Amino acid sequence: MTESGEISEFGYIMELLARGKVTIKNIERELICPACKELFTHPLILPCQHSICHKCVKELLLTLDDSFNDVGSDNSNQSSPRLRLPSPSMDKIDRISRPGWKRSSLTPRTTTFPCPGCEHDVDLGERGINGLFRNFTLETIVERYRQAARAATAIMCDLCKPPPQESTKSCMDCSASYCNECFKIYHPWGTVKAQHEYVGPTTNFRPKILMCPEHETERINMYCELCRRPVCHLCKLGGNHSNHRVTTMSSAYKTLKEKLSKDIDYLIGKESQVKSQISELNLLMKETECNGERAKEEAITHFEKLYEILEERKSSVLKAIDTSKKLRLDKFQTQVEEYQGLLENNGLVGYAQEVLKETDQSCFVQTAKQLHLRIQKATESLKSFRPAAQTSFEDYVVNTSKQTELLGELSFFSSGVDVPEINEEQSKVYNNALINWHHPEKDKADSYVLEYRKVNRDEEMLSWNEIEVCGTSKVVSDLESNCNYAFRVRAYKGSICSPCSRELILHTPPAPVFSFLFDEKCGYNNERLLLNLKRDRVESRAGFNLLLAAERIQVGYYTSLDYIIGDVGITKGKHFWAFRVEPYSYLVKVGVASSDKLQEWLHSPRDAVSPRYEQDSGHDSGSEDACFDSQPFTLVTIGMKKFFIPKSATSANEPENRVLPMPTSIGIFLDYDKGRVAFYDMDHMKCLYERQVDCSHTMYPAFALMGSGGIQLEEPITAKYLEYQEDM
């Protein structure tokens, strides 16, 4: 853009300002740096096409660099692009700004930072700040706007002796402002300086020719359409833009100027429509404010009704308790008075003793009959002492559990938004939690909110964590091991939400998930085992080779196990992994084994001593370690849709008590440090069997198959896993 073109365009903008078409506030908003929130100073164009002050770029890079050095980049939240970052020392910035600076400890090593305008990460590449263009057009407009906003504050001459005079011209070649007298002195007629380009007074001096930041001696003469930035001919010939589509600078200038002019004319032509929409928005704001106040009043009314009901029930319950208390105390008081009367019967006993001294039988009988009845009554009351009332008020305990639950779910009326239902079959937990739900009216809900919280054993009520979801499934990460988590979901239609769904309780694995694949090199028998390309599934096939090996039946009965192990070993810590055994599997052994034991199994000859070719590896054999307390391996038997708990030397369990239905998914938990291994039912995260294991060497996940069978490793739950499930 030429100087005259910029002047005419700026004049057009100022004319709009004068006529009130464009407000100063709106213009200023476009001329403010998104980082420092001030007018641009030497703005640079980022790869995302947003502009930012030259100094702000350095501050961002240095601040991020310091944060990486101090805390190892703990969190990127502390360097949010919307926050004003603390400025590094001017000494650092000055050192970078000096000509010929080189990378040192004070140079920002970080070249990637979030753009304050769009919040997307931008990478400055190897050249860093030196590879960015300076936005001279924006800089010129900012300078002219600054002068207009300050009522054209006078720019003083740079060459006058004090006191300086007001400048009348600025030389773009000398980068200085002059008054009339000084301009004549320093630009005399007939000299080269007389040919310099001069403009009106300004403090913004820009180069006449825009040079390439990558090839500093080459001028910009092309425009890369892919990168949307000017380039030189060397960039096109052998640089980063060699395979990009480019156009001439004049063509790009004409095209972009036509588009910008059309857009400006369109916006100006829609002025009445925009004003109408603003008026409509103002009315909507007032209506929203009124409706909000009305909704608050209605909510207060409903809660006051609830308070009245609670107060009424409170008075009724307290009155019933007081009545019962008074009745019981009256009974106790009556009983106390009766026993006080027994104490007064001491005189009766003395009187009876005197009657016993009577020797005349007729007189004695006449007196003793009535006396005997009185004494007998007192004796019976002493023998059968029983409190007249109960002291416990267990029948008067108020049960508010259901009401508390209902009040906790108190929400706005759904207005037709149905309650979503969590799909328990498709929801699972492994390394992360995958929650799927179904909404009867899927198109009616704009979004969903998934809530989850940890359920403590002491029933402490923790706050709910919320995640906004657009679809009907979500992967939840960062869950603690060996904990129960409650999940629920609600649907949103605009600002109206449905009640929460029924809660789903999932138990996380007892340890972090251990990731591995089947090892196709160590002991893998490709004649009878078939491993897929992903190495997460293995199948056992009984082929022609097994028929040839059946000749051994003539001399003895042998069965063979084909072993396959994980490709990663364990040397410390707690680990958990899961897998599925195909229902058609005849015999599968799963567990852990040490490296030295695996070498013995996989490299020893075929004899009856090796567990790989042991005699009678039937279902009732349970495990090879049945008679030992601590061995360097532990394997359990699975087959024919059954899970067999191994026998132990001290166990008196009957065989039927050791046979369980085969779980859909089986998990193994290894605590290397404590030397314990446990087998879990993944559906309910329930421990089926646990025992000691010798972990003095590297431990590997171990599997063995005989006959037809298949094992599928459980796939970790990630965002890609979720996308794959949705595609399915």
Side-chain angles (χ1 to χ4, degrees):
M1 183 181 292
T2 62
E3 184 70 23
S4 59
E6 290 178 357
I7 294 175
S8 61
E9 182 176 348
F10 183 74
Y12 176 65
I13 294 175
M14 295 306 297
E15 182 182 355
L16 294 178
L17 281 168
R19 294 186 313 192
K21 297 279 187 179
V22 181
T23 63
I24 292 179
K25 182 178 180 181
N26 292 337
I27 289 288
E28 185 177 1
R29 184 173 57 186
E30 301 298 328
L31 306 181
I32 288 180
C33 174
C36 62
K37 306 301 181 185
E38 298 176 358
L39 289 175
F40 282 106
T41 303
H42 305 307
L44 300 177
I45 303 176
L46 299 178
C48 60
Q49 302 303 308
H50 290 102
S51 295
I52 184 174
C53 294
H54 187 238
K55 179 181 177 182
C56 293
V57 177
K58 296 176 181 176
E59 289 183 0
L60 283 168
L61 293 177
L62 285 172
T63 305
L64 289 174
D65 196 39
D66 289 342
S67 66
F68 289 140
N69 293 335
D70 294 339
V71 294
S73 183
D74 185 22
N75 276 318
S76 62
N77 294 336
Q78 297 178 357
S79 58
S80 174
R82 291 298 180 185
L83 297 178
R84 179 73 181 274
L85 296 172
S87 300
S89 63
M90 292 302 299
D91 179 62
K92 286 186 177 182
I93 296 179
D94 291 341
R95 294 192 188 191
I96 296 175
S97 303
R98 293 172 186 167
W101 67 276
K102 296 183 179 180
R103 181 172 294 276
S104 65
S105 60
L106 294 177
T107 303
R109 294 184 294 274
T110 306
T111 61
T112 302
F113 65 94
C115 170
C118 61
E119 300 185 6
H120 288 92
D121 288 341
V122 292
D123 189 358
L124 303 185
E126 296 180 356
R127 292 182 57 83
I129 299 177
N130 290 343
L132 297 178
F133 280 108
R134 187 170 165 184
N135 195 338
F136 290 106
T137 301
L138 176 59
E139 192 171 342
T140 301
I141 296 175
V142 168
E143 178 61 27
R144 290 173 178 168
Y145 169 76
R146 184 182 283 113
Q147 293 183 24
R150 292 182 306 193
T153 303
I155 298 177
M156 309 310 292
C157 177
D158 294 329
L159 282 302
C160 277
K161 296 181 180 180
Q165 300 294 319
E166 183 177 341
S167 65
T168 58
K169 300 180 181 65
S170 293
C171 179
M172 301 303 292
D173 295 278
C174 300
S175 299
S177 298
Y178 301 90
C179 63
N180 286 331
E181 296 299 327
C182 291
F183 187 80
K184 293 177 182 179
I185 296 174
Y186 290 98
H187 296 78
W189 290 101
T191 63
V192 177
K193 287 189 176 183
Q195 307 299 321
H196 285 186
E197 179 184 358
Y198 61 91
V199 296
T202 182
T203 57
N204 179 39
F205 301 99
R206 52 188 289 180
K208 292 183 178 181
I209 301 175
L210 197 61
M211 308 302 291
C212 178
E214 296 185 12
H215 309 94
E216 298 177 356
T217 60
E218 300 295 330
R219 64 179 295 176
I220 295 299
N221 55 5
M222 298 179 184
Y223 182 79
C224 178
E225 296 182 353
L226 179 62
C227 302
R228 296 185 299 173
R229 61 175 292 171
V231 296
C232 68
H233 70 283
L234 293 181
C235 294
K236 175 59 180 173
L237 291 177
N240 297 329
H241 307 270
S242 57
N243 297 324
H244 296 178
R245 181 178 177 180
V246 298
T247 184
T248 62
M249 188 60 66
S250 59
S251 176
Y253 167 77
K254 182 179 180 180
T255 301
L256 292 176
K257 187 169 184 179
E258 288 179 355
K259 290 182 179 179
L260 182 60
S261 299
K262 288 181 180 179
D263 293 339
I264 292 175
D265 293 339
Y266 176 81
L267 291 176
I268 294 175
K270 295 294 183 179
E271 178 184 0
S272 59
Q273 179 180 347
V274 172
K275 288 183 177 179
S276 175
Q277 292 174 349
I278 291 175
S279 300
E280 183 179 353
L281 290 174
N282 289 330
L283 292 176
L284 292 176
M285 289 174 61
K286 293 181 180 179
E287 184 179 353
T288 301
E289 186 174 354
C290 295
N291 292 338
E293 293 298 325
R294 188 181 301 112
K296 285 175 60 177
E297 293 176 359
E298 292 178 357
I300 292 173
T301 302
H302 288 300
F303 277 102
E304 287 178 349
K305 289 181 179 179
L306 289 177
Y307 296 151
E308 292 176 1
I309 295 174
L310 288 174
E311 287 294 334
E312 181 182 350
R313 293 303 302 161
K314 176 183 176 182
S315 300
S316 177
V317 169
L318 295 180
K319 184 178 179 181
I321 294 175
D322 288 338
T323 302
S324 178
K325 181 181 70 172
K326 184 177 181 303
L327 181 61
R328 297 182 189 190
L329 291 176
D330 291 343
K331 290 183 179 180
F332 280 126
Q333 185 62 35
T334 302
Q335 192 173 20
V336 168
E337 292 175 356
E338 290 179 358
Y339 278 86
Q340 287 287 351
L342 292 180
L343 293 178
E344 296 174 359
N345 286 336
N346 289 334
L348 177 63
V349 174
Y351 173 67
Q353 291 176 346
E354 294 297 327
V355 171
L356 289 175
K357 297 178 181 179
E358 178 63 46
T359 57
D360 189 325
Q361 295 181 357
S362 299
C363 294
F364 177 81
V365 171
Q366 180 182 8
T367 306
K369 180 61 177 176
Q370 183 65 26
L371 181 60
H372 178 263
L373 293 176
R374 292 174 62 187
I375 292 178
Q376 188 177 18
K377 182 179 179 180
T379 303
E380 289 177 355
S381 63
L382 289 173
K383 290 181 179 179
S384 59
F385 173 75
R386 182 176 299 173
Q390 294 182 355
T391 60
S392 173
F393 278 79
E394 293 179 353
D395 297 338
Y396 288 85
V397 176
V398 180
N399 183 8
T400 61
S401 57
K402 292 184 178 180
Q403 290 76 10
T404 302
E405 183 177 356
L406 290 175
L407 288 175
E409 297 178 356
L410 186 63
S411 182
F412 300 105
F413 179 62
S414 62
S415 298
V417 181
D418 295 329
V419 180
E421 300 176 0
I422 295 182
N423 191 325
E424 297 185 11
E425 295 182 357
Q426 296 183 4
S427 299
K428 57 186 294 187
V429 63
Y430 191 36
N431 60 318
N432 296 317
L434 172 63
I435 308 299
N436 281 277
W437 59 88
H438 169 71
H439 196 218
E441 300 293 339
K442 184 176 181 180
D443 296 335
K444 286 189 176 182
D446 297 333
S447 62
Y448 302 88
V449 171
L450 175 64
E451 298 181 344
Y452 68 97
R453 67 180 178 185
K454 186 169 67 172
V455 181
N456 289 341
R457 295 180 180 178
D458 54 4
E459 299 183 357
E460 180 184 355
M461 300 297 289
L462 301 178
S463 59
W464 290 92
N465 300 297
E466 295 185 354
I467 304 176
E468 186 174 355
V469 186
C470 294
T472 56
S473 57
K474 181 63 178 178
V475 173
V476 182
S477 58
D478 299 329
L479 301 180
E480 296 182 18
S481 301
N482 198 24
C483 293
N484 285 317
Y485 280 87
F487 299 87
R488 67 183 186 185
V489 66
R490 62 178 185 270
Y492 271 86
K493 179 66 175 179
S495 59
I496 302 174
C497 69
S498 70
C500 291
S501 66
R502 184 172 56 86
E503 293 184 12
L504 172 66
I505 306 296
L506 294 178
H507 191 89
T508 56
V513 171
F514 179 64
S515 298
F516 67 92
L517 298 173
F518 288 119
D519 193 341
E520 81 280 13
K521 298 179 181 179
C522 182
Y524 172 60
N525 187 344
N526 56 9
E527 294 181 357
R528 289 191 294 271
L529 295 181
L530 179 62
L531 191 62
N532 67 348
L533 295 177
K534 295 174 63 177
R535 294 196 291 123
D536 63 350
R537 179 180 177 84
V538 64
E539 294 182 356
S540 173
R541 52 186 179 182
F544 187 69
N545 293 329
L546 187 60
L547 292 178
L548 294 178
E551 293 180 350
R552 299 174 64 181
I553 297 177
Q554 299 174 359
V555 295
Y557 179 64
Y558 289 86
T559 58
S560 63
L561 287 171
D562 294 302
Y563 279 78
I564 188 168
I565 64 173
D567 60 353
V568 182
I570 299 173
T571 57
K572 63 179 180 179
K574 299 178 181 179
H575 303 276
F576 183 87
W577 61 93
F579 52 88
R580 298 191 303 273
V581 176
E582 296 297 340
Y584 63 82
S585 300
Y586 174 67
L587 190 149
V588 174
K589 289 180 177 287
V590 297
V592 295
S594 64
S595 55
D596 59 337
K597 194 65 179 179
L598 287 171
Q599 291 179 1
E600 176 185 339
W601 290 352
L602 300 176
H603 299 292
S604 61
R606 299 188 179 187
D607 53 31
V609 177
S610 174
R612 187 176 181 184
Y613 302 101
E614 64 173 353
Q615 292 181 320
D616 189 19
S617 290
H619 294 300
D620 200 42
S621 64
S623 173
E624 290 85 349
D625 57 341
C627 300
F628 304 97
D629 292 334
S630 181
Q631 289 289 316
F633 66 94
T634 294
L635 299 173
V636 298
T637 302
I638 303 170
M640 299 180 68
K641 299 182 180 180
K642 302 294 182 183
F643 182 93
F644 298 88
I645 297 179
K647 293 183 293 186
S648 63
T650 59
S651 176
N653 291 342
E654 297 297 329
E656 58 269 15
N657 297 331
R658 298 190 296 107
V659 180
L660 304 176
M662 183 181 73
T664 304
S665 182
I666 301 169
I668 297 180
F669 167 52
L670 175 63
D671 189 341
Y672 185 94
D673 300 330
K674 294 184 178 180
R676 296 199 66 83
V677 63
F679 298 82
Y680 279 77
D681 177 359
M682 276 287 293
D683 294 336
H684 306 92
M685 204 56 68
K686 176 184 177 183
C687 182
L688 304 176
Y689 173 65
E690 183 180 10
R691 65 153 294 155
Q692 290 290 130
V693 64
D694 183 7
C695 294
S696 57
H697 296 82
T698 303
M699 305 299 291
Y700 287 86
F703 306 86
L705 300 93
M706 187 183 74
S708 297
I711 301 174
Q712 173 71 54
L713 297 180
E714 196 70 43
E715 184 178 358
I717 300 174
T718 61
K720 293 183 179 180
Y721 177 90
L722 180 58
E723 295 173 0
Y724 173 77
Q725 293 292 322
E726 291 177 350
D727 294 339
M728 293 293 290

